[in-house]
Amino acid sequence: MPQNTTTDLQREPETLAAPSTATTSENLSAEGYKKTLSGRHVTMISMGGAIGVGLFMGAGGRLASTGPALIFSYAIAGVIAYLLMRALGELIMYRQTSGSFVSYAGEMFGKKGAFLSGWMYFINWGMTGIAELIAIGLYFQFFFPNVPVEASAIAALLLLVAVNLLSVKAFGEFEFWASVLKVGAILIFLAVGTFMVVTNAKVGNGHASAANLFDGDGGMFPKGALVMVLVLNAVIFAYNGIELVGITAGEMQDPKREVPKAIRAVVLRIVVFYVGSVLLLAMLLPSDQYKAGVSPFVTVFGQMGLGWVGDVMNMIVITAALSSCNSGLYSIGRVFRTMANNGHAPQWLTKMSSRHVPYAAILAIAAFYLVGILLNIWLGGSHAFDLALNTASIGVIFTWGAIFASQIALRHQKGKVSTLPMPGSPWTSWVGLVALLAITVLIGFDTMTSKTGEVFLLGLWTLATIPFFAVVLWLGWQKVKNNEPKSELFS
């Protein structure tokens, strides 16, 4: 990477004492990563990052609890996600780094900003990864009911660790084909579902029709309009992972060409894949026929008498969970290494393999996932799984907030220095920040009702973790705040 002669702050903050070729080879970034992610990898990773278990699995329970109004919930969350990607796009085109928002927060807000951003991102993917792996074990029991959940989860973890340790190209290939499968399944569903609605085809005891959006007590709002807003905290989690393109930028062959394409296309993906899918699901069946814990796509095809298609969709759900966890291992591995170079994590996390993979950081997050899987045996039957997912949403909100805040600071401090400026800045980023704050408040109203009728105040328990994390992070900051970074970012 060429030396920046204007300011030390614009240099890559993760540069290590690596082999001399790390800064001279055209195929290596200044951070020591191999730039092997091609255009097709970036395109499918950015598309796949917007399609996960939140859509394939979570939409069913939310349709049942919210009704057709869930369409508006996904649309509102989609607007926030679009603003986020435009803010991130401006930051990426200002400077490409595998440290992504952690590096940007460090440059704009100093060492404390980088510290908080990095560890909150760990909370996000740490909790998400554990939940995804346990979900894989649960879905796998659909085909092999006698296989313990933990055994399947550990097997999946070993597979993903092997992929990530092999090379970034192996990660890219895995995500490419997983995304091809997920995107293909959604496109086929959209085509079939649209045909069924247009032809008023029979589905179960009724017919596919736009009338399903308004039938029943309350029409589109059977649970009231307020529920549409209250469910936003769960819906926003479905978009988790779209920020992955920022971390992959440091290992792209041509980020200046691929990033703008990926960023600008995100709005189309949001409208088509999320809002379009939920709209079709609500038209194919009355919303009260969907169930929590069952993929809505499986429900639809089951009502059509196509049980074998439901089996295929369950396999795709497993693929989506694998892809999500794979992204977690990849992204946290890079972020951990950035944090270690900034002096905010143990120095051994900086170690790189001969394949230019941060193996120590990947193995560290894998060990955390393994502990979480084993804890599931002990905590089985409690609300720990759902609490982990809600806690992860706190990490998502903080990460997105850090991106919006960094974009505002970048524009304030340096003006328009990016080739992909955020439209309407700074007001659009402020809208994003206010929306995220409102969603954080909404989390407090989230509840769960068990099969016995017991109501668990899931949201209040989730918010109670905030002061706990605040204390832990404050203690951690006191320990590392005087550490000298290995890069020139904070010199």
Side-chain angles (χ1 to χ4, degrees), residues 359-413:
Y359 73 92
I362 290 171
L363 290 176
I365 187 63
F368 182 84
Y369 286 168
L370 179 60
V371 171
I373 293 170
L374 296 177
L375 280 175
N376 184 63
I377 302 174
W378 178 47
L379 297 173
S382 71
H383 296 288
F385 178 85
D386 302 285
L387 186 59
L389 279 180
N390 259 34
T391 303
S393 68
I394 297 292
V396 176
I397 290 170
F398 190 96
T399 296
W400 287 22
I403 292 171
F404 282 127
S406 295
Q407 186 278 325
I408 293 172
L410 173 67
R411 188 71 67 89
H412 177 73
Q413 294 175 21

Side-chain angles (χ1 to χ4, degrees), residues 243-260:
E243 73 284 345
L244 182 65
V245 67
I247 296 175
T248 59
E251 294 172 89
M252 293 180 188
Q253 291 176 356
D254 189 2
K256 292 185 178 180
R257 184 173 71 93
E258 298 301 335
V259 169

Side-chain angles (χ1 to χ4, degrees), residues 129-159:
I130 291 171
E132 298 281 19
L133 287 166
I134 293 171
I136 290 170
L138 291 170
Y139 303 151
F140 200 71
Q141 284 193 322
F142 178 85
F143 301 100
F144 302 96
N146 295 325
V147 177
V149 171
E150 289 73 20
S152 305
I154 292 173
L157 177 60
L158 292 175
L159 168 65

